[in-house]
Amino acid sequence: QLQLVESGGGLVQPGGSLRLSCTASGFTFNYYGIGWFRQALGKEREGVSCISGSGGMTTYVDSVKGRFTISRDNAKNTVYLQMNSLEPEDTAVYYCAARPYGGVWCGVKDPREYNAWGQGTQVTVSS
């Protein structure tokens, strides 16, 4: 059974940093791309970033380029999202998700490509 668990969310001031973690179990981790999505209150879910199973491809939405960095440690079945220079607009519930056949490619434009989701972790950027 595919399972994903996010951690690392919290309250941070504008300009601050957080590192989210997504730990997986129940599947061959390096065969799956992992994506991060977020949903702010009253808004649609938005793809933020993803990384292929090999780690060789990463993708970012324009609004986080240069501020967020995605990485993975396949030995630990974990993907990280380092978030720097956080802005109030980054406030949302962040979800990680697993994309099958994502060993070398990933994208976040179509959430339907992902077949397992975590429960989410709240990130609040406020002074």
Side-chain angles (χ1 to χ4, degrees):
Q1 181 179 356
L2 279 69
Q3 188 172 16
L4 301 168
V5 179
E6 302 97 335
S7 61
L11 173 64
V12 64
Q13 292 186 343
S17 298
L18 284 174
R19 188 177 79 158
L20 304 184
S21 298
C22 172
T23 301
S25 61
F27 59 98
T28 305
F29 189 62
N30 63 323
Y31 287 0
Y32 282 71
I34 301 294
W36 284 98
F37 295 80
R38 64 186 180 186
Q39 188 164 20
L41 196 62
K43 295 187 177 181
E44 293 187 356
R45 181 173 49 188
E46 173 190 32
V48 176
S49 180
C50 67
I51 186 167
S52 62
S54 67
M57 177 180 177
T58 59
T59 299
Y60 300 92
V61 68
D62 286 346
S63 61
V64 307
K65 284 180 180 177
R67 300 189 298 122
F68 290 12
T69 303
I70 192 169
S71 62
R72 67 190 294 156
D73 184 340
N74 285 348
K76 296 182 178 180
N77 281 11
T78 300
V79 167
Y80 305 97
L81 185 67
Q82 178 67 43
M83 306 186 296
N84 298 330
S85 302
L86 283 162
E87 304 168 352
E89 294 74 21
D90 296 315
T91 295
V93 177
Y94 284 71
Y95 301 89
C96 66
R99 181 185 182 277
Y101 310 110
V104 296
W105 185 92
C106 74
V108 290
K109 291 185 177 180
D110 188 355
R112 295 172 298 178
E113 295 178 349
Y114 292 78
N115 66 355
W117 293 78
Q119 82 288 349
T121 186
Q122 176 71 47
V123 171
T124 303
V125 184
S126 175
S127 55

